[in-house]
Amino acid sequence: MKILGNNSFFTNAFKNFNKEKQIYSGIGNNIPNSSLPKEVETLIIGGGLLGLSTAIRLAKDNRDVVVVDMNKIGEGASGRSGGQLWPGYEMSFSEMEEKFGSNLTVKTWNLTDETLLEIHERINTREDKCDFVPGLLLASKTKNQTKFIKEEARIMKEKGMDFVTFIPKEEMNNYVNTNVYSNGILFKGNIEGRQYGHINPLKYVQTTALVASGLGVKLVENTKVEGVYKMKNSKYRIVTSKGEIIVKNVIFATGADFIRPKGVDYNIIPRTHIPVQTIIIATEPIAESIVDKIIPSRVCFCDAGSVAMNYVALIPDKDKEKYYRLTFGGADTLMQLETALEIPRLEKEMREMFPQLDEHKVKIDKTWGGDCDMSRTTTPIIANPQDGIYYAAGFSGQGMVNTALYGTAIAERIIGENCEKFEILEKINSHKYSNNSLIAWLQASEMVFLKGVNE
């Protein structure tokens, strides 16, 4: 990138940053890769969690389904994320109540909570449960966040969210041993098989792919969709890099990696999201004895900020038993130049939060990133703009659970027996961005600025 020149600050910032590499261990190369058939009932474009979840629900109804991905399964955002199983949405419960009303907010959050059962069914097909660790802590760093956390916990408990526990300041170090946080909300869950926490996202995506394949879904990797054309018989002719296929239904499940194919204009799929760069840094492997001093509870956690929010989790090292890597993510950036600035900021904040790292001379040796599909008002969008075309997008960093919910909703809409989920989720659709790229970028920048002012 010429704009960076030879400036040593930027050069060093990017030294270990590689968008194609991350530290998660997968489950091997045992995902069946099918050839592209000539015709199928439903084609799903995108082999991440949204596409695979949609395929699983359709296959359970004995529908004929093909999933195509322009890369390999798990290489996109689904397999590169922080792996946190979050309740609800990027927009807080209280914000949603104000915007959508109490009844609709409770319904949508309950739908997400119920979807956890599906997530745990999948991870329980593996002996290691995709490295699942229960417990997710939302923590406060500022006075405004401290006040917000206390009030949010009260409101959610009043509305029946039984997975919420308020953690006062004097108990915070039982979970995270740092002086940065003042209080928190612990999301855990009280029902077996319905718990929040974090998982290895790559293992989970690949496990979900195996579940789909076991139900008869054909997975076709390294296949780019180049054109979508409606035929006179109401079917669609799909042109791909591996040939053509005739389908009845087309589902766009590409997230931030959406590339508009020929034949799909903005009247069919508007600009639902802006791809923003997220960054995760990771320490070298740390002994369990040191980890006990940093995060004794092993929960994953993040702060309550809307801008420059940090999220943290422990990942078992794939080579050393009883060793972990501490991952520290955040820094949603709209430009690559911002990314160069944010990498050293992340490490600085990580070391300020955990001075124990410097005491034990722990180094940062991995940095990677991925794209997040940030919607304009942070809730996702789900739509069926014309017969046979469906899409969902804009999960805004909260897709580990919600992709399963939204995929199920699309599948049930196609099956036609129960459209309740789809109809409920439609009501919280985000506003769309302008079709003009510059205006859309300015709209995203305005949203980030306003959130920062309110903190």
Side-chain angles (χ1 to χ4, degrees):
M1 193 168 85
K2 291 183 179 179
I3 190 171
L4 299 182
N6 294 318
N7 186 300
S8 61
F9 173 77
F10 293 118
T11 302
N12 290 334
F14 271 98
K15 185 177 180 181
N16 294 318
F17 183 80
N18 188 329
K19 190 175 177 181
E20 302 307 320
K21 294 181 180 180
Q22 37 82 1
I23 63 169
Y24 302 121
S25 58
I27 61 175
N29 297 318
N30 54 349
I31 297 175
N33 186 24
S34 303
S35 58
L36 190 73
K38 295 295 183 184
E39 189 166 352
V40 71
E41 180 185 10
T42 300
L43 177 74
I44 300 174
I45 305 170
L49 290 174
L50 176 62
L52 294 170
S53 297
T54 312
I56 286 172
R57 181 63 184 90
L58 287 169
K60 286 180 177 179
D61 199 63
N62 298 314
R63 301 302 179 104
D64 189 19
V65 187
V66 170
V67 176
V68 298
D69 195 280
M70 63 188 297
N71 299 303
K72 293 183 71 66
I73 301 294
E75 284 187 352
S78 292
R80 308 174 61 80
S81 72
Q84 298 186 349
L85 301 179
W86 266 96
Y89 303 82
E90 171 67 13
M91 186 181 292
S92 70
F93 188 93
S94 56
E95 285 180 289
M96 288 187 66
E97 268 202 319
E98 186 176 337
K99 186 176 180 64
F100 301 113
S102 182
N103 289 340
L104 182 56
T105 300
V106 169
K107 282 182 181 179
T108 54
W109 279 67
N110 281 339
L111 284 176
T112 302
D113 192 49
E114 292 163 9
T115 303
L116 271 181
L117 292 172
E118 176 77 12
I119 308 297
H120 284 280
E121 279 181 19
R122 296 174 191 173
I123 66 177
N124 286 339
T125 61
R126 288 186 53 81
E127 186 176 349
D128 64 8
K129 297 187 177 182
C130 297
D131 302 329
F132 172 71
V133 178
L136 188 154
L137 186 68
L138 179 66
S140 63
K141 289 199 298 188
T142 67
K143 288 183 179 180
N144 284 345
Q145 290 175 13
T146 301
K147 182 179 178 181
F148 164 79
I149 287 283
K150 189 173 183 179
E151 183 66 7
E152 191 77 357
R154 182 190 67 78
I155 292 170
M156 294 182 74
K157 291 290 283 186
E158 283 183 358
K159 295 303 165 70
M161 304 292 114
D162 61 358
F163 50 82
V164 170
T165 301
F166 174 70
I167 308 298
K169 182 177 178 62
E170 58 268 23
E171 296 179 20
M172 285 295 288
N173 281 358
N174 296 334
Y175 295 90
V176 182
N177 191 10
T178 178
N179 294 323
V180 170
Y181 294 141
S182 298
N183 61 10
I185 297 175
L186 179 67
F187 301 112
K188 193 168 183 181
N190 299 320
I191 299 176
E192 185 67 29
R194 206 179 82 193
Q195 290 196 328
Y196 297 98
H198 71 277
I199 55 178
N200 177 320
L202 181 58
K203 280 185 181 179
Y204 175 57
V205 177
Q206 293 174 335
T207 298
T208 303
L210 288 178
V211 171
S213 179
L215 291 168
V217 176
K218 295 182 180 66
L219 306 175
V220 186
E221 298 178 318
N222 302 311
T223 304
K224 182 181 178 181
V225 172
E226 300 169 344
V228 176
Y229 305 101
K230 191 164 187 178
M231 303 168 67
K232 291 182 179 179
N233 61 0
S234 296
K235 292 187 177 182
Y236 292 88
R237 178 173 65 90
I238 311 297
V239 178
T240 80
S241 57
K242 290 187 177 178
E244 297 188 2
I245 179 173
I246 306 301
V247 307
K248 180 181 179 182
N249 303 304
V250 188
I251 301 169
F252 289 87
T254 56
D257 294 325
F258 176 66
I259 299 174
R260 189 174 299 278
K262 293 179 180 178
V264 179
D265 60 27
Y266 286 97
N267 291 324
I268 299 174
I269 300 183
R271 193 185 298 275
T272 58
H273 63 275
I274 293 289
V276 298
Q277 179 74 62
T278 61
I279 307 164
I280 301 177
I281 62 177
T283 66
E284 62 187 346
I286 307 173
E288 190 173 54
S289 58
I290 300 174
V291 168
D292 288 339
K293 299 175 183 177
I294 299 174
I295 310 177
S297 65
R298 300 292 196 274
V299 299
C300 63
F301 56 95
C302 78
D303 61 67
S306 298
V307 178
M309 178 193 78
N310 298 132
Y311 49 91
V312 185
L314 288 166
I315 305 297
D317 186 65
K318 57 186 176 183
D319 299 317
K320 293 183 177 181
E321 188 176 352
K322 293 189 177 181
Y323 274 73
Y324 299 81
R325 290 178 183 267
L326 183 64
T327 62
F328 196 92
D332 294 337
T333 63
L334 297 172
M335 296 188 301
Q336 194 173 11
L337 179 60
E338 289 182 87
T339 303
L341 295 167
E342 293 293 348
I343 293 172
R345 181 189 69 79
L346 276 178
E347 181 172 352
K348 181 175 181 290
E349 289 193 1
M350 185 184 201
R351 293 189 180 281
E352 287 175 351
M353 182 176 290
F354 299 116
Q356 303 96 322
L357 297 176
D358 287 334
E359 291 171 14
H360 294 277
K361 299 180 180 179
V362 177
K363 298 178 181 177
I364 307 300
D365 73 348
K366 295 289 182 182
T367 308
W368 73 97
D371 289 330
C372 167
D373 55 341
M374 185 66 68
S375 72
R376 189 173 175 189
T377 49
T378 73
T379 53
I381 296 177
I382 189 170
N384 175 199
Q386 66 182 45
D387 288 346
I389 289 187
Y390 305 82
Y391 67 85
F395 292 94
S396 304
Q398 305 296 340
M400 292 301 293
V401 178
N402 280 329
T403 46
L405 169 60
Y406 278 67
T408 298
I410 290 174
E412 291 178 352
R413 173 90 162 204
I414 290 172
I415 294 166
E417 293 179 359
N418 183 358
C419 299
E420 183 182 10
K421 289 187 181 74
F422 195 102
E423 291 167 355
I424 290 173
L425 296 174
E426 264 188 320
K427 294 176 182 178
I428 63 166
N429 273 357
S430 173
H431 298 157
K432 301 174 181 65
Y433 285 101
S434 169
N435 295 336
N436 179 282
S437 297
L438 177 58
I439 295 175
W441 185 87
L442 291 172
Q443 288 170 334
S445 299
E446 178 189 32
M447 177 186 71
V448 171
F449 173 76
L450 291 175
K451 282 181 173 290
V453 169
N454 291 331
E455 288 182 8

